[in-house]
Amino acid sequence: MTAQSGIQFQFHSGTRGKHDLPEIMAGGLALFDANGDGRLDLYLCNGGPIQADAGADDPPSRLFLNRGHWQFEDVTNTAGAPGPSYAMGTAVGDVDGDGLDDLFVTGWGGQRLYRNLGNARFEDITEKAGLTDLGWSTSAAFADLDADGDLDLYVCHYVNYDAARPPFCAAPDGKRDYCGPEVFAAQPHRLYRNDGHGIFQDVSREAGILGLEGRGLGVLVADLTGDGRLDLFVANDGSACWLLENEGALKFKEIGTDAGVAYNGQGEALAGMGVALGDLDGDLRPDLLATNFYERGTVAWRCLKPGLFRDDSDQIGLRAATRNVVGFGIALADFDGDGDLDLLQANGHVLDRERLKVPLAMRPLYLTNERGRFKDASTQAGPAFTRKMLGRGVAVGDLDDDGRPDAVVATLDGPVLLLRNQAPQAGVTLDLRTRTGRGQVPIGVQVRTEFATQTVKHALVAGGSYLATSAQEIHLPVGISGKLDRVEIEWPSGTRETWQNLGAGQRYILMEGTGDLQRKR
């Protein structure tokens, strides 16, 4: 739908021919309601010139408002959220409890926090909020990690890259190529505690993460150990992935190896980039996924019990389907409305080796889930899935409020892709809000419903994908009845509620503890 949307955007890599690492890593985005009209708007991160003093002349990241019927308006000039120098990724959350979604943007040249003033206008409060950091930040996530009612912030960091001294790395033919991450020292990740009203304190050392070393590219927040606390899964590039178990009071213990998610089933470290969580096999336990490098394949760790996982990538056909691509953004959603989670993955190489007959641009993948096994259905999914590109961030959300999850893919070599879901059967989109924090999004909420002969269970997570923020909503199938007879919700507070008779093709707002159900358009 890009051509008819009015969105004109192409990522500015600023390449200068020296194979600078930042120019192949970026491409983030966010789907969120920037102006409070109930529609999902689109924020696209932009790059800039690769030079030691980059900053003043950087092209801004761009904000497009959703005006309905797949029409978008560029409001970048009035939004006041241009992003840091060479923007990378995003996180969205109401950090000050005023009911408006605020925007955090990471970058090679620092990071920015923009407070939402309403009507798609933002104020840069980075310094006031205590988030000034000039490191190379990548993926980030907001979540209430200490259960005090406001949103804390985890920020992945990558490597030390000095554009004034770009190293020379050679391809097998001796010509210059991009250096791998192991050439550069890793930067420490950061955890910020929200002390109220959007004022943050760096508690990385006290939390136990400052001494960990990993070149972070993906982060996901969910209860992965079954104790009711929100844990963190971090995908690192070229070293072990982390599962940071929340021990309470913002203390974390790294248990990735014991949990079975530090490496793949062959004991190899991943070139970990994009991450996703969802029940792949219908056993009501959330499984973990991480995209990976060429000839290695995306990894799926099946949850055997809370806090224990096993690499089942081969058994479910995922490794074979993704072996010949370099995976970046990834999303799990029931795109075809059959009750199982399907997979959408953006791909594109990071090494300039087409002269060596290794493709640089790669087509995105759409894999359908057929009773726990994946099948490549890309060629039937639409013309966008036959085009080669340098795919990076992926975000999912119901852009037209018809109950079907749509998708947006950021690329480095062409326009952003807006993908409208035209599955025959419309579903239901749930927008869930808690009573605390003036309608805060309940990360960790569990949604359960019956579909045909199976039970479907979803959890709302923070983070995920690669440098991208998907809409914080849940999509459910309805089956031949055309409605959801019963939806059971377990809120993070422990409260359980049930809603009935939700019609297909609709978006609903469900507010905890009120029995209130609002139907959108």
Side-chain angles (χ1 to χ4, degrees):
M1 302 297 290
T2 309
Q4 51 266 60
S5 70
I7 294 177
Q8 296 183 5
F9 175 86
Q10 184 162 330
F11 182 85
H12 180 62
S13 70
T15 182
R16 56 181 182 173
K18 293 188 177 181
H19 290 75
D20 293 287
L21 191 58
E23 70 189 42
I24 58 169
M25 301 303 295
L29 68 154
L31 284 176
F32 73 112
D33 184 2
N35 61 348
D37 68 352
R39 296 188 179 99
L40 291 177
D41 307 306
L42 176 60
Y43 184 87
L44 295 169
C45 294
N46 211 343
I50 299 285
Q51 54 192 37
D53 59 349
D57 299 323
D58 287 356
S61 300
R62 309 200 71 84
L63 177 63
F64 296 88
L65 294 186
N66 185 347
R67 297 306 191 187
H69 306 290
W70 292 93
Q71 298 295 308
F72 289 77
E73 179 186 359
D74 189 343
V75 296
T76 303
N77 291 338
T78 59
S85 176
Y86 220 99
M88 294 288 295
T90 65
V92 172
D94 179 8
V95 302
D96 53 5
D98 65 355
L100 301 174
D101 283 333
D102 307 302
L103 176 66
F104 181 72
V105 188
T106 64
W108 171 39
Q111 58 194 31
R112 295 288 186 273
L113 177 62
Y114 296 106
R115 179 177 178 239
N116 193 335
L117 303 176
N119 197 28
R121 294 179 182 270
F122 294 82
E123 174 191 7
D124 188 339
I125 61 168
T126 309
E127 186 172 352
K128 176 184 176 182
L131 293 174
T132 303
D133 190 314
L134 297 179
W136 185 349
S137 49
T138 56
S139 290
F142 285 114
D144 185 5
L145 296 172
D146 53 4
D148 67 349
D150 50 29
L151 296 178
D152 310 299
L153 174 63
Y154 186 92
V155 184
C156 292
H157 278 255
Y158 197 44
V159 301
N160 293 324
Y161 185 84
D162 185 355
R165 299 176 181 82
F168 180 89
C169 294
D173 61 359
K175 294 183 179 180
R176 188 170 197 153
D177 207 338
Y178 295 99
C179 296
E182 67 281 352
V183 173
F184 310 98
Q187 290 187 354
H189 299 212
R190 297 291 179 184
L191 178 61
Y192 299 95
R193 182 187 65 221
N194 191 337
D195 287 338
H197 305 291
I199 305 300
F200 291 84
Q201 181 73 27
D202 186 344
V203 294
S204 310
R205 186 178 302 279
E206 302 93 308
I209 68 169
L210 200 58
L212 300 174
E213 183 173 321
R215 300 163 181 86
L217 290 177
V219 61
L220 184 147
V221 184
D223 179 9
L224 300 171
T225 57
D227 61 1
R229 300 189 184 103
L230 294 176
D231 309 301
L232 295 153
F233 176 72
V234 179
N236 289 311
D237 190 3
S239 59
C241 296
W242 302 336
L243 199 168
L244 301 174
E245 181 182 20
N246 190 339
E247 298 184 306
L250 279 182
K251 305 289 184 183
F252 290 84
K253 179 182 179 182
E254 205 291 290
I255 62 167
T257 300
D258 291 341
V261 297
Y263 307 97
N264 67 11
Q266 291 72 48
E268 301 166 333
L270 278 65
M273 288 170 279
V275 293
L277 182 79
D279 179 10
L280 300 180
D281 52 8
D283 64 358
L284 306 186
R285 292 190 291 264
D287 307 304
L288 267 171
L289 289 84
T291 56
N292 205 357
F293 203 65
Y294 190 67
E295 295 184 333
R296 301 183 194 176
T298 296
V299 177
W301 293 281
R302 180 187 177 193
C303 183
L304 303 178
K305 65 178 183 180
L308 183 63
F309 298 80
R310 181 184 67 201
D311 182 356
D312 268 9
S313 310
D314 286 321
Q315 291 88 331
I316 65 175
L318 183 59
R319 196 185 311 276
T322 58
R323 188 186 300 275
N324 294 324
V325 296
V326 177
F328 277 90
I330 184 173
L332 291 174
D334 185 6
F335 291 107
D336 58 8
D338 67 353
D340 296 317
L341 292 177
D342 310 303
L343 184 151
L344 194 157
Q345 179 174 306
N347 308 295
H349 219 309
V350 294
L351 298 176
D352 186 14
R353 296 187 178 179
E354 286 194 293
R355 62 185 184 273
L356 303 177
K357 303 194 184 302
V358 176
L360 184 63
M362 297 172 170
R363 65 180 178 88
L365 292 174
Y366 171 60
L367 309 181
T368 58
N369 185 341
E370 300 184 2
R371 298 182 179 179
R373 288 187 59 84
F374 283 108
K375 177 183 178 181
D376 189 346
S378 304
T379 56
Q380 292 83 47
F385 291 87
T386 66
R387 292 162 44 192
K388 293 183 178 181
M389 61 195 71
L390 295 181
R392 293 298 185 260
V394 171
V396 171
D398 185 359
L399 287 165
D400 51 8
D401 294 334
D402 66 354
R404 301 173 177 90
D406 308 300
V408 182
V409 180
T411 76
L412 296 187
D413 65 341
V416 63
L417 295 181
L418 268 68
L419 302 174
R420 181 184 184 184
N421 188 344
Q422 295 182 301
Q425 178 66 61
V428 166
T429 298
L430 300 183
D431 185 344
L432 305 170
R433 302 282 167 172
T434 65
R435 291 173 298 178
T436 61
R438 296 179 59 126
Q440 185 185 103
V441 174
I443 302 301
V445 68
Q446 304 281 337
V447 178
R448 181 174 177 143
T449 187
E450 303 291 328
F451 176 80
T453 60
Q454 67 187 99
T455 300
V456 179
K457 187 175 182 181
H458 294 289
L460 191 63
V461 305
S465 189
Y466 171 80
L467 306 180
T469 300
S470 290
Q472 293 179 315
E473 59 193 24
I474 287 177
H475 307 101
L476 296 173
V478 297
I480 59 175
S481 68
K483 64 180 180 178
L484 283 178
D485 294 327
R486 176 183 172 89
V487 178
E488 181 179 308
I489 297 177
E490 181 178 349
W491 302 92
S493 64
T495 302
R496 291 179 182 267
E497 293 185 274
T498 300
W499 277 272
Q500 296 177 326
N501 298 322
L502 277 65
Q506 299 290 338
R507 175 192 294 270
Y508 295 91
I509 299 176
L510 308 182
M511 186 71 72
E512 179 186 7
T514 66
D516 188 21
L517 183 152
Q518 299 178 32
R519 180 169 145 179
K520 298 290 291 183
R521 283 185 288 282

